[in-house]
Amino acid sequence: MRWLLKVGAFKVLGTLPGGEAIYHFLQQKVTHSIAVTDERVSQKIQVGMEYLDFVCRVFNVQDFSGITHVNIGAGWMPTIPLLFYSVGFERQLLCDIRRHMRVGVVSDAICSFREVVSRERSVATRCKRMPPLIDPDVPLDTQFTQLGIRYITPYHI
């Protein structure tokens, strides 16, 4: 139900001039729904691990380098794409209607991801590499390209 309210609010705000900026402000300052926490990151990592376990079990895949991960509705915190990068995916396509990811949030997510993985042995043993820390002065798309990630937001103007 909360998700439907969120979608409704976003649709209403999307019709207003500056509505997207208002929506992001509300998320950041009022609802704190885009605050990066180790608990949120850990939960997303566990979901990602379930996906990986499923692919390994059903498709008998151990090497992910030849698989392209497509994420539709990428949202604001790319935890699962960070996990998939870490286990060896070379190509990922993140799609969304609007450009919700911000350099600061992604930077926080990477820091938290690295911290959580260092504590969770079952995840750490499956990771071949860690996503590098990002430079807040470099555009997000440039930094994603270095990770084999393409971030597409077709309706961004």
Side-chain angles (χ1 to χ4, degrees), residues 18-136:
E20 189 174 341
I22 293 168
Y23 180 72
H24 284 279
F25 174 82
L26 290 172
Q27 284 183 305
Q28 185 178 19
K29 302 293 184 185
V30 177
T31 67
H32 303 286
S33 61
I34 61 172
V36 176
T37 66
D38 285 357
E39 293 77 26
R40 283 184 178 156
V41 169
S42 180
Q43 186 270 334
K44 295 288 186 184
I45 288 172
Q46 293 312 313
V47 170
M49 294 298 287
E50 290 177 22
Y51 293 158
L52 293 172
D53 291 342
F54 176 82
V55 169
C56 290
R57 186 177 65 254
V58 172
F59 299 106
N60 196 28
V61 173
Q62 301 304 316
D63 178 12
F64 300 109
S65 63
I67 298 174
T68 300
H69 168 235
V70 179
N71 184 339
I72 299 172
W76 54 272
M77 187 174 72
T79 305
I80 291 175
L82 295 174
L83 174 65
F84 287 5
Y85 167 82
S86 296
V87 300
F89 281 73
E90 298 294 336
R91 291 176 310 282
Q92 297 188 66
L93 181 62
L94 310 183
C95 305
D96 215 328
I97 291 174
R98 301 241 195 269
R99 187 164 281 267
H100 297 295
M101 288 190 207
R102 304 286 189 260
V103 171
V105 173
V106 173
S107 177
D108 291 348
I110 289 173
C111 291
S112 181
F113 177 87
R114 292 167 62 116
E115 176 65 29
V116 169
V117 169
S118 73
R119 289 193 314 254
E120 295 186 17
R121 195 81 185 116
S122 63
V123 178
T125 57
R126 293 183 65 180
C127 292
K128 299 176 181 181
R129 58 191 175 186
M130 284 290 110
L133 299 176
I134 64 174
D135 183 343

Side-chain angles (χ1 to χ4, degrees), residues 7-26:
V7 169
F10 188 68
K11 286 199 171 281
V12 169
L13 287 171
T15 64
L16 301 173
E20 189 174 341
I22 293 168
Y23 180 72
H24 284 279
F25 174 82
L26 290 172

